[in-house]
Amino acid sequence: MSYLDIDAELIRSCLPSGTDVPEDSDYLFILYAVLLRAKGEDTRSSDVHDAWSAWMYRGEPDHESIRPYAELAPSVQEEDMPFLKAIHAAARLRAERI
């Protein structure tokens, strides 16, 4: 298990209960782990969306939500919030361990 896998699992563990997690999302959480390590609590919703877009592009390149975050409807933007909150919570936990 790599350090990115460990951070990805930490993010998963910080997701609010009831969050709808996409199937086959291991690589998506690796991308979220990169955000955690690079930006920590400075990660923004648009960053989470960009990571999701990169992940989604591999399997469904014509998905209607693969567009800049600012162009998304507010209801679609809101879908990134549980993942942003989890990244922020994971960043706080990592900081406490250091």
Side-chain angles (χ1 to χ4, degrees):
M1 181 177 274
S2 78
Y3 68 100
L4 291 173
D5 291 313
I6 293 167
D7 285 344
E9 287 304 313
L10 178 60
I11 294 166
R12 278 185 190 271
S13 74
C14 291
L15 280 170
S17 63
T19 301
D20 186 24
V21 177
E23 288 186 37
D24 300 321
S25 60
D26 290 345
Y27 185 70
L28 174 60
F29 278 86
I30 294 296
L31 294 173
Y32 291 161
V34 172
L35 289 176
L36 168 64
R37 297 184 73 80
K39 297 188 80 174
E41 286 195 84
D42 291 331
T43 302
R44 301 175 311 185
S45 294
S46 60
D47 300 322
V48 172
H49 175 70
D50 289 342
W52 175 88
S53 292
W55 172 75
M56 180 57 75
Y57 186 77
R58 292 179 56 191
E60 197 175 330
D62 296 326
H63 192 284
E64 65 184 332
S65 293
I66 299 177
R67 64 182 70 228
Y69 183 78
E71 294 179 13
L72 298 171
S75 61
V76 176
Q77 290 178 348
E78 189 64 29
E79 294 176 15
D80 293 316
M81 288 307 298
F83 301 96
L84 178 64
K85 288 177 182 178
I87 292 167
H88 287 172
R92 287 189 296 275
L93 287 171
R94 282 185 78 240
E96 290 173 5
R97 295 177 185 168
I98 295 175

